[in-house]
Amino acid sequence: MKFILAHATARQRAIDAVRQAPEGMVVLIKEPVRTLPQNSIMHAMVADISRQCQFAGEDMPEEDWKRVMVDAFYRATINDEKFKKLWADCAPRTVMNLDGSGTVELGAQTRRFPKALMSAMVDYLGAWGAEMDVEWSASDA
């Protein structure tokens, strides 16, 4: 079962379900994840950045720009108290590769971003893009 604690009735239904649940069941309370409109805006902004900007003098595909921008956003916000908890389940990380000769960068999973984190990510892209004179497409408005 899934309950969105949006009002008193929903909260009461969740409490009732917990009371009636058999022993051994698990209850998870978490921030809601990003919305589809937030995701669409973020991807449109990354597409605009990809079309108009270069990284280290080279063009990069959207997926690469997305990884670079999420990493930059992570580094800019991880020490901010209001973001530390939000990064808990979706932060980028580095692991050793299978033969131990190097590392693999595991990018942050934006599909797991809480709404508040995705909102801040869109704001971050907007600010970064403004500094780089990115012209946003109409879909970003």
Side-chain angles (χ1 to χ4, degrees):
M1 274 186 251
K2 178 179 176 180
F3 297 94
I4 298 174
L5 304 177
H7 47 74
T9 302
R11 185 176 296 275
Q12 188 57 53
R13 287 182 183 150
I15 291 168
D16 293 343
V18 169
R19 284 193 179 119
Q20 296 170 12
E23 292 293 322
M25 297 298 287
V26 175
V27 175
L28 172 66
I29 298 175
K30 65 178 191 165
E31 295 276 339
V33 295
R34 56 102 173 117
T35 65
L36 292 177
Q38 284 179 312
N39 191 54
S40 294
I41 290 168
M42 186 266 306
H43 277 276
M45 294 176 85
V46 170
D48 288 339
I49 290 169
S50 177
R51 282 191 297 275
Q52 299 174 46
C53 299
Q54 290 188 328
F55 184 76
E58 295 185 26
D59 293 332
M60 284 198 313
E62 289 176 36
E63 188 60 33
D64 292 351
W65 267 112
K66 179 181 168 186
R67 290 177 188 272
V68 167
M69 297 309 297
V70 169
D71 182 76
F73 173 61
Y74 171 75
R75 293 174 191 285
T77 60
I78 188 57
N79 293 318
D80 185 322
E81 288 302 318
K82 69 181 179 182
F83 291 110
K84 280 186 180 183
K85 275 188 175 180
L86 296 175
W87 279 112
D89 294 327
C90 54
R93 58 195 177 104
T94 303
V95 298
M96 290 298 295
N97 64 8
L98 290 178
D99 67 10
S101 64
T103 60
V104 177
E105 296 292 326
L106 303 177
Q109 299 294 311
T110 58
R111 70 176 170 262
R112 297 174 70 189
F113 275 23
K115 283 182 182 180
L117 193 60
M118 183 58 87
S119 179
M121 173 72 186
V122 168
D123 291 344
Y124 181 85
L125 290 172
W128 188 89
E131 287 183 20
M132 303 303 291
D133 295 323
V134 172
E135 293 182 27
W136 303 115
S137 60
S139 62
D140 302 327

